């Protein structure tokens, strides 16, 4: 079945440390891939997206994600986390030719001083 | 960027009453809008796809008579929770895809938190 998996429900990192949030997808063909962020009390916002081409995608707020086809992964990274990055992060996939976006279960990021 | 607005952002109602939630695309046209439900500590669950000028497409397990969706114009979709019960209490989120951009990107509303007493 087509799905998006985020294996980490909750991650805690120290401010200034590097961050990697994992995302795996299960689709026959490579879907469009997205990372969304939901800050406390706010709506979902797009961080970055991958359609094709360069597998390393840069987004807003210093985030980037790498698409690795052989691993069916689209992990989100940031070299140095800031306290304001504390939020819930959702990976999502849109198969080509379809309308419906499938979301992962989300990873809640906590940043400690 | 494209803006999607939901109203109301917070509503409390008595059991048995109906509640309408509006989703508007403020600066773009959307032939398709999506309604999601988000439970605490869980992901967004797609409830239905709202198509302008036609019937909504509901996901399996979602009661169409319970959750009425109307997409009357290219900028407005409404979700009506009929005869609401406490188990319908949840966070409802709409999203829209801009016609002019064929990027697959969804723009989300702020969400509407429904509490049924």
């Amino acid at each position: 079945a087509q799905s998006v998996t985020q294996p980490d429900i909750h991650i805690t990192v120290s401010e200034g440390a590097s961050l990697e949030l994992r995302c795996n997808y299960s689709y026959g063909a490579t879907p469009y891939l997205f990372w969304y962020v939901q800050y406390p009390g706010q709506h979902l916002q797009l961080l970055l997206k991958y359609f094709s081409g360069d597998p390393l995608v840069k987004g807003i707020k210093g985030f980037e994600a790498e698409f690795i086809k052989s691993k069916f992964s689209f992990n989100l990274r940031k070299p140095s986390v800031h306290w304001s990055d504390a939020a819930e992060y959702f990976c999502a996939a849109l198969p080509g030719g379809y309308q419906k976006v499938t979301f992962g279960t989300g990873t809640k990021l906590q940043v400690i001083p | 960027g494209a803006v999607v607005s939901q109203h109301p952002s917070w509503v409390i109602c008595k059991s048995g009453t109906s509640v309408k939630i509006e989703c508007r695309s403020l600066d773009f046209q959307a032939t398709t809008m999506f309604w999601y439900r988000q439970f605490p500590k869980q992901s967004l669950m797609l409830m239905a796809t709202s198509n302008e000028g036609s019937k909504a497409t509901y996901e399996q397990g979602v009661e169409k008579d319970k959750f009425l969706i109307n997409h009357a114009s290219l900028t407005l979709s409404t979700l009506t929770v009929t005869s609401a019960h406490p188990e319908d209490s949840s966070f409802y989120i709409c999203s829209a895809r801009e016609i002019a951009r064929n990027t697959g990107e969804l723009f989300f509303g702020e969400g509407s938190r429904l509490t049924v007493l």
Side-chain angles (χ1 to χ4, degrees):
Chain A
Q2 298 175 335
S3 65
V4 176
T5 304
Q6 291 179 250
D8 305 306
I9 296 172
H10 196 155
I11 282 184
T12 301
V13 300
S14 299
E15 191 169 15
S18 63
L19 171 71
E20 182 169 41
L21 302 183
R22 295 182 290 166
C23 173
N24 292 94
Y25 63 92
S26 172
Y27 287 85
T30 301
Y32 296 164
L33 295 162
F34 308 85
W35 274 99
Y36 286 87
V37 60
Q38 188 174 29
Y39 297 103
Q42 296 188 30
H43 59 92
L44 281 155
Q45 303 172 44
L46 182 69
L47 273 180
L48 48 79
K49 59 192 175 194
Y50 171 77
F51 289 165
S52 64
D54 189 344
L56 188 61
V57 180
K58 294 194 183 299
I60 61 172
K61 303 178 188 283
F63 285 92
E64 64 178 31
E66 185 175 13
F67 166 64
I68 302 179
K69 188 173 183 178
S70 60
K71 295 184 178 180
F72 299 93
S73 69
F74 188 56
N75 294 349
L76 181 71
R77 299 195 294 245
K78 186 168 184 177
S80 177
V81 170
H82 188 262
W83 64 265
S84 59
D85 293 324
E88 188 147 22
Y89 294 80
F90 293 92
C91 182
L94 174 65
Y98 289 86
Q99 288 202 83
K100 298 189 293 187
V101 174
T102 299
F103 286 85
T105 47
T107 299
K108 192 161 189 176
L109 173 65
Q110 182 181 9
V111 180
I112 57 176
Chain B
V3 177
V4 174
S5 178
Q6 271 183 253
H7 178 80
S9 55
W10 193 289
V11 57
I12 300 174
C13 70
K14 291 183 179 179
S15 185
T17 60
S18 294
V19 174
K20 180 187 283 188
I21 301 170
E22 293 186 347
C23 177
R24 293 181 184 274
S25 55
L26 296 186
D27 52 359
F28 68 99
Q29 294 183 325
T31 52
T32 305
M33 291 184 174
F34 303 89
W35 286 96
Y36 294 85
R37 186 171 176 178
Q38 188 177 26
F39 294 98
K41 299 183 181 180
Q42 293 187 33
S43 186
L44 290 82
M45 181 193 80
L46 180 64
M47 298 174 65
T49 302
S50 172
N51 303 298
E52 186 265 337
S54 65
K55 291 183 180 180
T57 304
Y58 290 82
E59 294 301 300
Q60 193 171 13
V62 178
E63 300 175 59
K64 57 183 68 175
D65 295 330
K66 173 77 169 173
F67 299 100
L68 300 179
I69 291 173
N70 183 25
H71 194 149
S73 76
L74 287 173
T75 59
L76 173 64
S77 175
T78 60
L79 168 68
T80 302
V81 183
T82 62
S83 187
H85 290 281
E87 58 266 29
D88 298 324
S89 298
S90 190
F91 195 54
Y92 294 89
I93 304 173
C94 75
S95 70
R97 187 172 291 134
E98 190 177 355
I99 296 175
R101 312 187 199 189
N102 188 26
T103 62
E105 179 180 350
L106 292 174
F107 298 95
F108 287 85
E110 310 93 323
S112 301
R113 184 164 299 283
L114 170 64
T115 301
V116 184
L117 302 176

